Amino acid sequence: MCIIRFLKNWTLPVSMLSGVLGYFLFRAMPIGAEVKGDILLFTELLQPVLLFFMLFVSFCKVAPHELRPHRWHLWLLLTQLGVFTLCCLLLWAFPSTGARLVIEGFMLAMICPTATACAVVTQKLGGDSAATTSYTISINMAVALLAPLMLPIAHPQNGLTFLPAFLAIISKVFPLLIVPLFMAWFVRYLMPGLHRRILQTRDLAFYMWAVALSIAIAVTCRALVHSDESLWHVGGIAVATLVACLFQFAFGKWVGGHYSMRMEAGQAMGQKNTVFIIWLGYTFLSPITATAGGFYSIWHNVVNSYQLYRKRKGEEV
């Protein structure tokens, strides 16, 4: 019982540590490259499936009429989009700057949409998950419009124009955000028996997220191990994403505090879809920039673990 209680209380740190150990054990396994390739392919397919059903379960607990805009949404949107735009213009004005990779890592951490797991953690912290879900939808739509406009300016590439970039981003956002939402509404109104059963699974989404997190950390370790960039660049990106993480949690809480939603706004701005950061970096910038998603995954989950610890102690988060 002590072990079970420990695992429940420290799910996120255990999940992160499992991801690190899991990767290095996998790397040391005496199996062929073909088998390892199949295992990697399986984990790549498993992670989005877990995220899809995790979000579906979370959306089942949110009634459609609860998804409404809040005033603090606007301030968070303007801040994220504004800082990202300024970073893109800075890279356009100084294309040969030695700090390019660090700036790119920072701006990806700023523009990245709210994590699909944000509603799960918000519920765990006792907050209004509907408010964070509404912001998750808003920021994803905003990113789908702004990123294709600004990324070709910050990092020009042959053939990279607005429409192909927009369609590529929508293809990532739609299946893992909009489809689970519609499925949840379908089950709510047309399959009430199944809907009641889903509502009875109190922490199912949280534990699915823990498994997905473990996979994400393992992928992060793999990317860092195979990176051939200098420690200076990798360390700079790590520091930049840490600054972005702490700023966004703090700024979100400060803004949300003015609307009696301090914790919700902090989660909405600080907890990121780090898989999206990695994909955005690989697709539109550079492989090393994609490590920003891995570092941010560590930072925001350390913050979440600390907040859950404070919640268990009855302190304000």
Side-chain angles (χ1 to χ4, degrees):
M1 291 300 294
C2 291
I3 295 176
I4 294 174
R5 189 181 305 111
F6 174 82
L7 292 175
K8 284 184 176 181
N9 289 340
W10 300 99
T11 302
L12 298 193
V14 169
S15 181
M16 294 170 67
L17 182 60
S18 298
V20 174
L21 295 177
Y23 168 71
F24 285 106
L25 287 173
F26 167 75
R27 194 163 180 256
M29 288 172 63
I31 56 178
E34 185 176 347
V35 176
K36 287 189 175 182
D38 291 338
I39 295 174
L40 288 173
L41 179 61
F42 173 74
T43 57
E44 289 175 1
L45 294 173
L46 177 61
Q47 189 175 38
V49 170
L50 284 170
L51 292 173
F52 181 94
F53 283 104
M54 175 199 69
L55 196 56
F56 165 71
V57 171
S58 298
F59 282 158
C60 281
K61 299 179 180 180
V62 177
H65 70 270
E66 295 176 331
L67 296 177
R68 62 183 186 275
H70 296 263
R71 290 183 180 179
W72 55 267
H73 287 180
L74 178 61
W75 296 112
L76 268 57
L77 281 169
L78 289 174
T79 302
Q80 284 190 246
L81 303 181
V83 172
F84 173 73
T85 300
L86 288 175
C87 289
C88 288
L89 293 176
L90 181 64
L91 292 176
W92 170 75
F94 303 98
S96 301
T97 176
R100 166 172 284 273
L101 292 176
V102 176
I103 295 172
E104 287 180 348
F106 178 79
M107 74 185 198
L108 287 184
M110 287 299 303
I111 194 59
C112 182
T114 305
T116 53
C118 183
V120 178
V121 179
T122 301
Q123 283 181 344
K124 197 75 174 174
L125 292 171
D128 183 355
S129 60
T132 55
T133 299
S134 299
Y135 186 77
T136 301
I137 296 171
S138 300
I139 187 61
N140 272 277
M141 296 301 102
V143 169
L145 290 173
L146 184 64
L149 284 173
M150 299 306 301
L151 286 174
I153 296 174
H155 196 94
Q157 298 181 46
N158 291 332
L160 180 59
T161 57
F162 173 79
L163 186 58
F166 172 77
L167 294 176
I169 292 175
I170 284 293
S171 70
K172 297 292 289 186
V173 170
F174 188 82
L176 284 179
L177 182 68
I178 306 302
V179 175
L181 179 64
F182 288 156
M183 277 187 59
W185 290 352
F186 177 86
V187 169
R188 172 181 288 271
Y189 293 113
L190 298 180
M191 305 176 71
L194 176 59
H195 184 254
R196 283 194 299 272
R197 287 185 173 228
I198 293 173
L199 293 182
Q200 291 170 359
T201 57
R202 183 180 174 187
D203 291 325
L204 177 61
F206 181 75
Y207 293 121
M208 282 195 289
W209 176 51
V211 176
L213 171 61
S214 182
I215 295 173
I217 294 297
V219 171
T220 298
C221 288
R222 181 171 181 267
L224 292 175
V225 168
H226 289 277
S227 173
D228 56 359
E229 286 290 335
S230 67
L231 289 177
W232 172 256
H233 285 146
V234 174
I237 293 173
V239 172
T241 52
L242 175 60
V243 171
C245 179
L246 295 178
F247 166 75
Q248 290 181 99
F249 270 106
F251 183 80
K253 287 177 182 291
W254 179 73
V255 171
H258 291 81
Y259 300 95
S260 301
M261 284 197 167
R262 181 177 178 275
M263 184 271 291
E264 289 87 347
Q267 290 303 121
M269 194 172 187
Q271 189 173 345
K272 301 291 188 180
N273 182 355
T274 54
V275 175
F276 187 84
I277 299 181
I278 295 170
W279 174 82
L280 206 63
Y282 269 113
T283 305
F284 299 105
L285 299 175
S286 63
I288 183 59
T289 306
T291 60
F295 284 120
Y296 200 99
S297 179
I298 296 171
W299 308 142
H300 79 168
N301 281 298
V302 169
V303 173
N304 281 333
S305 298
Y306 177 66
Q307 291 187 131
L308 289 168
Y309 167 74
R310 295 193 63 177
K311 174 67 176 178
R312 287 195 304 273
K313 294 186 67 177
E315 300 176 359
E316 183 183 10
V317 295

